[in-house]
Amino acid sequence: MTFELSHFTAAVVFAACASTVFGITQRNNTRDMLRYGAYCFVMFVGGVIVASWAMWLLKH
Amino acid sequence: MANVQNTTTAGAPAAKSGASTTSTMAILAPLAGWLLPGLGHFIQRRWIRGLLLMLAVFVMFFAGLGMQGKVYPFNTGDLLDILGFVGDIGAGLLYFVARAMDWGGGNIQRAVADYGTKFIVVAGLLNIVSAADAYHIAIGKKP
């Protein structure tokens, strides 16, 4: 089974999985886990968007 | 005074037994967690955490395979290949199953296959983090 993911979808899947693990393992209570997981997710996806705009600006 | 003595003598074996259980779990939990993602949390009754960790590692690993990522075999060649193997083997049984089934041959003609290779490596690394978390729960460092 093979499938084709776009760059952005791959980045979102990566961010979701990594954030889940980071949230659970790096914090001690449920509320903090959720907050840290969401923070990591936003940082991952936000980083991708910022980097992609930076590359677009460099090209143009 | 007698009461105090009774308490201490009766408490000592119980404390020793508790310590022994903890030390057994401290070995068992990370090992189980490495072998099957989330199992280290399941055996300590952290059901939801275990399930989420298992889901995250499985999704990442199989998404990597689906993107035709490469599963690194044991090697002593290029440093990056050795590190790729170290990352991959972090996925425990998933790695051995993938190798046994001859999955993860890689495909250099597809750009997304390179992402897949990274997904598989990161799945293994995240599983190591999960196993370390199971250990911290076992030794009482984390609730």
Side-chain angles (χ1 to χ4, degrees), chain B residues 31-103:
Chain B
L31 204 64
W34 167 71
L35 212 56
L36 189 69
L39 189 61
H41 288 73
F42 287 147
I43 61 173
Q44 297 181 87
R45 297 176 182 280
R46 301 315 197 266
W47 306 110
I48 296 172
R49 286 189 220 176
L51 191 69
L52 288 171
L53 291 172
M54 179 182 261
L55 207 66
V57 175
F58 268 67
V59 165
M60 201 126 186
F61 191 85
F62 285 105
L65 287 178
M67 287 190 271
Q68 292 188 294
K70 179 184 175 185
V71 176
Y72 289 93
F74 173 75
N75 67 88
T76 53
D78 184 50
L79 180 64
L80 289 177
D81 284 352
I82 297 171
L83 290 175
F85 167 73
V86 171
D88 280 3
I89 206 165
L93 270 183
L94 289 176
Y95 174 80
F96 297 113
V97 169
R99 291 286 301 148
M101 302 296 282
D102 211 18
W103 293 338

Side-chain angles (χ1 to χ4, degrees), chain A residues 20-55:
Chain A
T20 303
V21 175
F22 286 171
I24 292 171
T25 58
Q26 304 301 311
R27 291 294 182 268
N28 288 337
N29 62 65
T30 310
R31 188 186 148 87
D32 287 348
M33 285 177 189
L34 285 170
R35 283 168 62 100
Y36 189 65
Y39 171 77
C40 288
F41 184 79
V42 168
M43 283 295 149
F44 273 127
V45 178
V48 166
I49 292 169
V50 168
S52 54
W53 274 107
M55 286 187 277

